[in-house]
Amino acid sequence: MKALVVGKGGREHALVWKLAQSPRLERVFCAPGNAGTGVDGVNVPIDANDIDALVKFARRECIDLTVVGPEEPLARGIADAFQKEGLPIFGPTRQASQLESSKVFAKKVMRDADVPTAEFRVFDHPDPARLYVQTREYPVVVKADGLAAGKGVIVCSTTEEALAAIERIMVRDEFGRTAGRQIVIEKRLDGPELSIMALVAGRTIIPLAPTQDHKRALDGDAGPNTGGMGAYCPAPLGTPDLLAEIDAQALVPTVHTMKRRRMPFRGILYAGMIITNQGPRVLEFNCRLGDPETEPLLMRLRTDLFELLLATVEDRLGEFGEGNIEWDPRPAVCVVMCSGGYPGTFAKGKIVNGLAEAAKLPDVKIFHAGTRLDGELLLTDGGRVLAVTALGDTLALAKRNAYEAVKRIHFPGASYRSDIADRAIPPG
Ligand code: GLY
């Protein structure tokens, strides 16, 4: 059988690597992929958003399962296009993926389903929004409705900042015309964050091991927001009691509400949670695996990923109960190495050295994100370059193993956080 992974980041490399371990798969393609997916699989030069070309390729190659990494092709309807052609695809339809592609839609579903989340208001014109922010207690969060490459969420500490955010999103269209047509203004919640990714098909919901991301660029959670600078799995914050509460209060009612709205959800439902003093609250939903959360998650997964994803697509997920998914008991830590300047402007094409040395270390896997090959040379090709991931008997040892590998890898301007997983490692 053959699989196709759509995307080109660290998450997609982890998917290709894990799928390629399935004895049922003879080949795993990745479109367009990176230098790492070209080693663990076979790259196909098709852009992740070129849905027509992807459908043609899947038909020609008789692909048995396509797995979509990023949100944009889902929001553009890649699952609908594949399903129309009878091609098996893992990922929600365009309508169902509005849970991620429209913040307004997601908040309305949460309100309908009684899912705990920050109180909010929706605006489709800047004037009432401007009046509203004069009456708020701060901090508040102003969010562009549509996808904005993770940048359309602005935390505001004062009325002036909120007015400026409304201007940027709704008047200057900084995040795109469609994305900024509506905004959500909500109370900013306080607490540690937790990523809960669940497999969903029909009535079956199987939460995967809890993970924690590090969104800020610099140590100590300082600096600007990024796509994610590192992650670890399992996150000790996700105790069985808390996970049961999140399942009952967030995942189950959302999946049922989507079904009632005739937009049944199938794929990964990723609840970005914040654990407040009043209990867990949903910050946002994503409709795909997180990046870099997927890298440590799949490093620990022992169950055949292809079987799991195929069962989801074929509505047989119930065959696996949560207890039948096998995990390596050891935790995993992932450290993202970035191009200097990320998440702002950065240069590409820097030569990466030391990878072979680092890859020899035990229990380490180096997932590529923004990389490409130029002959024999490995070059940087994006903001997030590598997701260096390691297992260890404890979180502290997994962290040590990951940083041992990071130390051996060099490229001009390389930057990374040095405190991934520290918040979960007991002192001493
Ligand atoms: N790491 C956050 C995300 O994938 O959305």
Side-chain angles (χ1 to χ4, degrees):
M1 296 177 98
K2 297 182 213 166
L4 165 66
V5 172
V6 176
K8 61 177 184 179
R11 163 186 51 208
E12 287 76 23
H13 187 189
L15 282 164
V16 168
W17 170 77
K18 192 71 208 168
L19 286 168
Q21 292 168 21
S22 171
R24 291 185 67 195
L25 281 172
E26 135 210 348
R27 192 169 288 188
V28 183
F29 294 100
C30 190
N34 56 37
T37 59
V39 172
D40 287 314
V42 179
N43 284 349
V44 187
I46 303 175
D47 188 85
N49 290 321
D50 190 346
I51 294 175
D52 289 344
L54 290 168
V55 166
K56 273 192 201 131
F57 175 80
R59 217 170 27 209
R60 193 175 66 235
E61 286 290 336
C62 302
I63 298 291
D64 297 283
L65 180 66
T66 295
V67 182
V68 187
E71 60 276 19
E72 201 174 329
L74 292 168
R76 290 172 181 236
I78 190 171
D80 312 64
F82 271 64
Q83 282 163 13
K84 205 165 131 208
E85 297 288 328
L87 294 163
I89 185 159
F90 180 87
T93 60
R94 191 184 62 76
Q95 277 198 323
S97 51
Q98 287 179 95
L99 274 179
E100 175 165 4
S101 65
S102 167
K103 301 250 178 332
V104 172
F105 177 88
K107 288 299 265 194
K108 288 182 175 169
V109 167
M110 285 189 252
R111 182 150 59 193
D112 244 29
D114 217 5
V115 168
T117 185
E119 59 181 69
F120 70 99
R121 285 273 300 271
V122 174
F123 296 92
D124 56 12
H125 195 280
D127 286 343
R130 289 183 185 117
L131 285 178
Y132 180 70
V133 297
Q134 320 269 357
T135 65
R136 292 293 86 197
E137 271 182 28
Y138 282 81
V140 301
V141 187
V142 181
K143 295 178 170 179
D145 174 47
L147 292 179
K151 294 184 186 132
V153 173
I154 305 174
V155 178
C156 309
S157 307
T158 61
T159 311
E160 288 65 39
E161 286 179 16
L163 290 169
I166 294 165
E167 194 74 12
R168 288 178 64 194
I169 299 173
M170 299 194 96
V171 182
R172 296 213 299 265
D173 293 334
E174 263 185 44
F175 306 99
R177 232 199 157 126
T178 323
R181 205 169 284 151
Q182 287 186 295
I183 55 172
V184 171
I185 301 181
E186 67 180 28
K187 194 173 161 184
R188 193 198 170 185
L189 300 176
D190 221 19
E193 292 183 21
L194 187 65
S195 305
I196 303 298
M197 296 182 275
L199 284 163
V200 178
R203 294 186 160 275
T204 312
I205 303 170
I206 303 187
L208 302 173
T211 58
Q212 212 167 15
D213 187 12
H214 295 63
K215 291 213 171 70
R216 301 298 193 106
L218 306 174
D219 282 2
D221 287 332
N225 262 331
T226 68
M229 297 295 291
Y232 54 95
C233 173
L237 178 65
T239 59
D241 281 354
L242 183 66
L243 297 183
E245 205 176 330
I246 292 170
D247 190 38
Q249 294 186 6
L251 300 177
V252 171
T254 302
V255 169
H256 287 184
T257 301
M258 291 298 285
K259 198 154 186 240
R260 253 201 332 273
R261 289 184 172 218
R262 298 188 197 288
M263 301 175 188
F265 193 93
R266 189 196 310 269
I268 288 285
L269 182 59
Y270 163 156
M273 304 298 304
I274 185 155
I275 315 304
T276 71
N277 287 337
Q278 287 75 43
R281 304 281 183 267
V282 176
L283 272 183
E284 62 179 10
F285 281 122
N286 294 320
C287 294
R288 41 138 189 115
L289 287 159
D291 192 357
E293 294 96 319
T294 300
E295 288 89 317
L297 181 88
L298 293 188
M299 193 84 177
R300 296 187 56 239
L301 182 69
R302 283 187 172 157
T303 301
D304 185 326
L305 180 67
F306 176 65
E307 297 289 1
L308 259 183
L309 301 187
L310 194 66
T312 311
V313 169
E314 292 176 350
D315 241 335
R316 299 181 287 103
L317 192 55
E319 288 174 13
F320 280 89
E322 200 171 330
N324 293 333
I325 299 187
E326 239 194 287
W327 300 98
D328 190 316
R330 293 171 299 169
V333 169
C334 166
V335 179
V336 175
M337 297 184 75
C338 298
S339 298
Y342 175 80
T345 49
F346 54 84
K348 293 182 183 177
K350 305 289 180 195
I351 298 175
V352 182
N353 283 309
L355 218 70
E357 274 302 293
K360 279 189 209 144
L361 293 170
D363 297 322
V364 167
K365 175 69 189 172
I366 298 155
F367 296 112
H368 291 233
T371 64
R372 72 181 169 87
L373 278 178
D374 183 5
E376 299 279 284
L377 287 181
L378 179 66
L379 302 179
T380 65
D381 197 36
R384 292 192 288 175
V385 176
L386 297 166
V388 181
T389 310
L391 292 161
D393 286 338
T394 61
L395 258 183
L397 291 175
K399 177 190 169 185
R400 196 187 68 186
N401 291 345
Y403 280 103
E404 278 302 315
V406 166
K407 273 196 293 197
R408 286 165 170 75
I409 302 171
H410 304 280
F411 51 91
S415 71
Y416 54 86
R417 279 180 63 158
S418 66
D419 63 347
I420 302 301
D422 275 0
R423 60 170 82 118
I425 296 175

